[in-house]
Amino acid sequence: MSLTLKHLTRLRSLHQRIKTAQTGTPIELAKSMHISERTLREDLKLIKNWGGKICYDQKSGTYYYSSDFELKINFEVIAITLYGPNKDEYN
């Protein structure tokens, strides 16, 4: 599965909300993240497939992790300029 930068950013945000147990209901969470409930379910399933034990507390109205889980998503941009023998020519 190839994940876009937008999707990875969304997953990182979702993880942080679950980690702090401040998601709200599924409808509220989907609206606050500007996604459909179906997309939310797919993202939750993906995190579960990666080992996150996600539960939902109906009384508190929030998702939470039932055991410690850390999801690290980092981005790195590296610019490399290659010069030809005359240093004015680009490869």
Side-chain angles (χ1 to χ4, degrees):
M1 168 188 275
S2 179
L3 300 173
T4 65
L5 181 60
K6 181 179 178 180
H7 194 180
L8 290 170
T9 301
R10 187 176 71 234
L11 288 167
R12 183 168 57 182
S13 175
L14 178 58
H15 166 68
Q16 287 303 317
R17 292 175 189 215
I18 296 169
K19 189 175 176 181
T20 59
Q22 297 179 357
T23 65
T25 66
I27 293 170
E28 293 169 338
L29 180 56
K31 283 184 181 180
S32 72
M33 296 185 72
H34 308 288
I35 59 175
S36 68
E37 289 180 66
R38 178 181 177 183
T39 298
L40 174 61
R41 285 191 302 272
E42 291 170 352
D43 286 354
L44 290 169
K45 183 178 179 181
L46 184 57
I47 293 174
K48 287 178 181 181
N49 288 341
W50 288 340
K53 297 188 181 352
I54 301 171
C55 297
Y56 183 75
D57 183 344
Q58 289 190 347
K59 187 175 181 180
S60 300
T62 190
Y63 288 100
Y64 65 96
Y65 289 114
S66 63
S67 61
D68 287 340
F69 179 73
E70 193 58 46
L71 178 64
K72 294 197 181 278
I73 299 174
N74 298 311
F75 309 106
E76 182 177 86
V77 175
I78 300 173
I80 301 172
T81 304
L82 302 175
Y83 293 98
N86 293 331
K87 297 198 184 221
D88 291 335
E89 298 175 14
Y90 293 101
N91 287 334

